[in-house]
Amino acid sequence: MITFISVKKPVVVGKDLEVVAVAVTKKTHNNRELAQLLAAASCALIGGISPIVNAADSWDVDSAFLLYSESDGRVSAAEPVISATKNYDEETKLTFKIAADTLTGASPNGATASDHVQIFTSPSGKSSYNATTGEQPLDDTFKDTRIALSSNWTAPIDRDWAYGVGGYLSKEHDYQSLGVNGSLTRYLNQKNTTLTLGLNLSNDTVNPEGGIPTGLIQVPLNNLGSEFTQRSDAENKNLIDAVFGVTQIINRKTIMQFNYALSTSSGYLTDPYKIISVIDDNAGTNYGGNFQSSGRDLYLYEKRPDSRLKQSIYWQTKYQFDNDDILDVSYRYMFDDWGVNSHTIDAKYRFRFDNQYLEPQLRWYTQSKADFYHRYLNSSDYTNADFASADYRLGDLDTYTLGLKYGYKFADETELYTRFSLYHQESSGDKGYGKLTSQELYPGLDAAMLILGYKF
Amino acid sequence: MRKIIHIVGLLSLPIIVSGCSDMGVKPWERDILAQQEMNLISDPIESSLNDHIYFSKEASSGGQGFGGGGCGCN
């Protein structure tokens, strides 16, 4: 999340820079301010792009609080975020950001629902939890607190070039992430075209409860099992992200952006807490039921490849109508070497009134499953699998977000806003056989989000 | 299919860039675009919160910038 802000920002900052070069004041809402803006723009034209007034040496604070809650007692989260930007001049900024989140609730462990009560070993191996007949197996030991810090510096190099550098640290009890990033921006065509190249490097460490489980091995009964005793404490993964973006001003009311992004990750990419059921495909009374091994239901730890290459193409357009309303539409196509393809369309329409605005939002996302995604494995050939995951987030998935945002801008340009949105997920796939067909293998998910934000 | 997308993407870049030289506005025509609401990401904190949620619930991330990451939520 932090990476997002620190490098995504330069793309925006790029636009800020071209804007401030002529505009000085960015928070402009009424005609009087427009007049001042035009005057400032003229000054900038005459006097070059030297800093003039106003923004210099001021702090902008942007804060928000998120409440997130999933249906059926699944995950809920609370996350306060605060970011402060010091403006040295119109083009030179230093931003600090701190976010904290607390997650509690239950998360699907990957196993299928069953015709009998299922008992699962907790990730630490120190306890167990149950799923009743026909119930989606949820690991209710899921709990996490995270603190994330980031900082970003952007400044011009000369008239046509600007740069940004940043770093971040994110810490949970079982996950750490450390990253650095940089960006380079080039302005063309009287700053109507902006080219941005961003690079992000991150080193993450996974140190799960109970250690690193062995992929595709039977989940032991408890932490006295031999599999537990030979585990390593932690594994690493490295991420390299690069984004190349073109931002183009189309006309007085339209701005457009195209991005191509490349992301590689290598190392331990498996989710250490996810398991997968093995289903009995031998003819007989247990056909389609849980396969037994060592006198109990067989569950394997999931295993994913140790590298992933993602690519995406992103397009966004923002258009202001004659009545000042704003339409913001974006589309993203993403594909990776795990076999996942996805399309995302996001549309927002901002109705603007004097000091207030109302913004409905609609987002649609669809993805195809990863090559190694299996809702379950069969008893006859599970030993042949190289990789397998039953994580629904790697399966065929459609999601919808419906949101409504309301904002109020005070005379001193501070802003208070709130946004409520509903998020719905639908999974689909292979329905199983025998006893398994009577189980709900792809339960949907509903979540509600409330954001309260204040900028000053 | 992927190769075709790559090639088309690479070929279209210069067209986009050179074609764009005819577009745009003069510096004194930037009043509307200078509004904070017209920034491509006008609410960075809200965007980061949304991306955090989508990153933890879906297999895709990023695109607009470096989405997601930095947490063990996926």
Side-chain angles (χ1 to χ4, degrees):
Chain A
M1 184 180 85
I2 295 310
T3 359
F4 149 82
I5 202 90
S6 28
V7 172
K8 187 183 285 194
K9 191 73 178 166
V11 178
V12 183
V13 164
K15 184 174 162 291
D16 273 350
L17 290 180
E18 63 192 76
V19 167
V20 288
V22 293
V24 179
T25 309
K26 65 173 184 175
K27 292 177 179 173
T28 307
H29 316 299
N30 57 38
N31 290 336
R32 197 164 56 89
E33 283 174 331
L34 276 182
Q36 288 172 349
L37 180 94
L38 288 170
S42 316
C43 290
L45 279 174
I46 297 160
I49 50 168
S50 59
I52 303 174
V53 271
N54 232 329
D57 273 0
S58 68
W59 282 92
D60 285 334
V61 178
D62 194 352
S63 62
F65 188 79
L66 164 76
L67 280 174
Y68 170 88
S69 179
E70 293 179 358
S71 54
D72 303 325
R74 285 178 55 177
V75 177
S76 61
E79 181 169 354
V81 192
I82 184 159
S83 125
T85 302
K86 169 97 168 163
N87 303 288
Y88 290 92
D89 60 45
E90 288 73 21
E91 303 176 64
T92 312
K93 293 167 196 243
L94 180 64
T95 302
F96 295 103
K97 185 180 163 193
I98 181 164
D101 52 45
T102 311
L103 285 91
T104 51
S107 181
N109 64 10
T112 60
S114 173
D115 63 341
H116 60 263
V117 174
Q118 299 186 87
I119 302 166
F120 300 100
T121 310
S122 70
S124 67
K126 291 174 185 164
S127 61
S128 63
Y129 58 93
N130 295 348
T132 57
T133 305
E135 184 189 32
Q136 184 190 15
L138 298 174
D139 176 359
D140 58 7
T141 61
F142 183 62
K143 199 170 200 168
D144 224 336
T145 305
R146 185 177 75 110
I147 295 276
L149 300 167
S150 70
S151 180
N152 196 55
W153 167 263
T154 55
I157 297 170
D158 60 25
R159 258 179 96 98
D160 296 326
W161 293 85
Y163 74 99
V165 287
Y168 70 89
L169 168 71
S170 170
K171 176 104 180 100
E172 293 156 69
H173 81 285
D174 57 358
Y175 198 93
Q176 289 83 239
S177 180
L178 196 62
V180 289
N181 49 62
S183 69
L184 196 61
T185 301
R186 169 81 162 106
Y187 304 108
L188 299 166
N189 306 330
Q190 290 190 308
K191 299 201 172 185
N192 282 301
T193 307
T194 306
L195 307 181
T196 304
L197 184 67
L199 192 68
N200 178 74
L201 306 174
S202 161
N203 180 262
D204 294 9
T205 307
V206 194
N207 50 339
E209 289 281 333
I212 300 286
T214 313
L216 300 175
I217 287 273
Q218 180 169 22
V219 178
L221 199 56
N222 54 46
N223 61 354
L224 302 174
S226 61
E227 192 275 328
F228 255 96
T229 54
Q230 64 191 18
R231 289 182 179 187
S232 62
D233 291 337
E235 288 280 359
N236 289 292
K237 68 177 169 195
N238 291 299
L239 293 96
I240 304 172
D241 295 279
V243 178
F244 175 68
V246 182
T247 304
Q248 175 64 38
I249 291 171
I250 307 294
N251 57 39
R252 243 180 108 229
K253 292 164 171 277
T254 319
I255 184 161
M256 200 176 276
Q257 185 176 55
F258 291 94
N259 286 342
Y260 167 74
L262 188 70
S263 172
T264 70
S265 38
S266 59
Y268 186 76
L269 306 179
T270 297
D271 186 330
Y273 300 133
K274 292 280 185 271
I275 61 174
I276 182 165
S277 295
V278 178
I279 301 300
D280 194 344
D281 60 352
N282 297 308
T285 53
N286 193 40
Y287 186 67
N290 288 73
F291 182 71
Q292 301 271 311
S293 174
S294 309
R296 53 201 167 87
D297 292 343
L298 177 60
Y299 308 107
L300 308 179
Y301 285 111
E302 70 150 52
K303 185 180 182 184
R304 304 181 189 185
D306 59 7
S307 72
R308 184 180 185 188
L309 176 69
K310 295 195 286 186
Q311 297 180 74
S312 67
I313 294 162
Y314 176 84
W315 166 83
Q316 182 188 5
T317 291
K318 228 163 174 173
Y319 175 73
Q320 187 162 146
F321 293 89
D322 289 337
N323 64 2
D324 293 346
D325 287 356
I326 297 171
L327 177 69
D328 182 351
V329 186
S330 69
Y331 167 75
R332 176 185 65 185
Y333 174 62
M334 194 229 65
F335 55 100
D336 68 13
D337 61 356
W338 282 5
V340 177
N341 280 264
S342 77
H343 301 273
T344 313
I345 295 173
D346 198 347
K348 296 178 189 132
Y349 188 90
R350 182 174 290 205
F351 294 96
R352 294 167 82 191
F353 309 101
D354 291 341
N355 298 316
Q356 307 171 79
Y357 61 87
L358 201 59
E359 185 178 273
Q361 182 213 355
L362 196 61
R363 178 184 185 269
W364 173 68
Y365 170 83
T366 184
Q367 78 180 37
S368 64
K369 69 185 180 71
D371 301 332
F372 55 88
Y373 170 84
H374 300 283
R375 186 65 195 84
Y376 55 87
L377 292 174
N378 294 318
S379 57
S380 60
D381 63 357
Y382 74 90
T383 51
N384 298 329
D386 293 323
F387 305 104
S389 173
D391 189 337
Y392 71 92
R393 295 173 298 190
L394 293 172
D396 289 306
L397 186 68
D398 292 284
T399 84
Y400 306 87
T401 308
L402 193 62
L404 186 64
K405 182 178 177 182
Y406 167 78
Y408 189 92
K409 298 190 177 194
F410 295 91
D412 62 354
E413 293 181 349
T414 60
E415 180 181 337
L416 186 67
Y417 66 89
T418 183
R419 177 167 167 264
F420 180 74
S421 48
L422 294 168
Y423 179 63
H424 176 70
Q425 280 191 333
E426 282 174 11
S427 299
S428 58
D430 171 22
K431 298 282 186 284
Y433 48 82
K435 290 163 120 179
L436 196 59
T437 54
S438 57
Q439 301 302 330
E440 173 60 272
L441 296 181
Y442 304 96
L445 170 76
D446 285 296
M449 295 170 241
L450 181 70
I451 295 176
L452 199 61
Y454 187 54
K455 300 180 203 176
F456 56 99
Chain B
M1 179 63 187
R2 285 177 193 172
K3 275 187 181 162
I4 293 171
I5 292 171
H6 291 179
I7 292 165
V8 169
L10 284 172
L11 288 178
S12 58
L13 265 178
I15 299 168
I16 293 167
V17 174
S18 60
C20 289
S21 59
D22 295 334
M23 295 183 222
V25 295
K26 297 297 177 193
W28 57 88
E29 295 176 321
R30 288 176 183 249
D31 51 339
I32 291 170
L33 296 166
Q35 294 170 12
Q36 186 257 336
E37 289 90 339
M38 286 299 283
N39 277 337
L40 287 167
I41 303 169
S42 52
D43 295 292
I45 296 276
E46 186 197 344
S47 299
S48 72
L49 288 170
N50 286 333
D51 278 13
H52 185 33
I53 288 165
Y54 298 133
F55 171 76
S56 67
K57 308 305 293 179
E58 297 166 359
S60 309
S61 60
Q64 195 174 20
F66 299 153
C71 68
C73 51
N74 193 355

